[in-house]
Amino acid sequence: GAMRHLPYFCRGEVVKGFGRGSKELGIPTANFSEQVVESFPSDISTGIYYGWACVGNGDVHKMVLSIGWNPFYKNIKKSVETHIIHTFKEDFYGEILSIVITGYIRPEKNFDSL
Ligand code: ADP
Ligand code: MG
């Protein structure tokens, strides 16, 4: 489930998510397109992972990644969202995000509040 596909390399365009307020929480998450998400192994565990990421030809930074069920699609489609541990001057929608997932932190969790 969680570890057997690691390290996992992935590269794709950053698309608009569903405005679930990641930025309000101070943890914007760069979303991959549905097509990229569908290219992931179908049996990869949902949850929180970590690894490395870069935007375009930029520097490589640490990242944390969520693979989770997407409420927008009534939880039948996964979403893959990367929070890069770096302060960017501007948003980077439309840019190519490259990631390597190196480890697993925990399964998905529900919270009572924002
Ligand atoms: P959306 O619902 O469109 O994904 P978010 O609130 O999750 O909106 O914000 C994600 C966007 O924020 C990314 O697509 C990217 O353009 C921008 N962004 C800025 N800084 C970061 C960062 N450190 N990590 C991830 N995304 C970031
Ligand atoms: Mg997002």
Side-chain angles (χ1 to χ4, degrees):
M3 302 301 295
R4 123 172 87 108
H5 296 289
L6 306 187
Y8 188 79
F9 293 84
C10 180
R11 175 172 285 159
E13 193 182 332
V14 176
V15 302
K16 264 271 172 204
F18 303 104
R20 272 179 285 165
S22 306
K23 266 183 200 156
E24 288 171 44
L25 294 168
I27 43 160
T29 60
N31 292 52
F32 279 125
S33 69
E34 218 174 288
Q35 196 185 330
V36 169
V37 173
E38 272 160 21
S39 72
F40 271 64
S42 57
D43 63 341
I44 199 166
S45 297
T46 59
I48 310 301
Y49 293 81
Y50 62 88
W52 303 95
C54 76
V55 176
N57 298 319
D59 294 335
V60 175
H61 302 286
K62 296 176 184 177
M63 65 78 167
V64 289
L65 174 103
S66 159
I67 301 178
W69 296 106
N70 199 324
F72 187 84
Y73 287 113
K74 301 196 165 79
N75 301 328
I76 56 169
K77 276 190 194 298
K78 278 178 196 166
S79 74
V80 176
E81 312 188 8
T82 304
H83 174 65
I84 303 174
I85 313 291
H86 179 74
T87 303
F88 289 87
K89 289 201 187 92
E90 290 177 337
D91 286 352
F92 44 84
Y93 290 110
E95 300 237 30
I96 300 300
L97 173 66
S98 302
I99 64 168
V100 53
I101 308 171
T102 54
Y104 181 71
I105 299 175
R106 61 164 173 84
E108 288 186 281
K109 231 162 120 173
N110 267 319
F111 296 92
D112 297 334
S113 67
L114 198 59

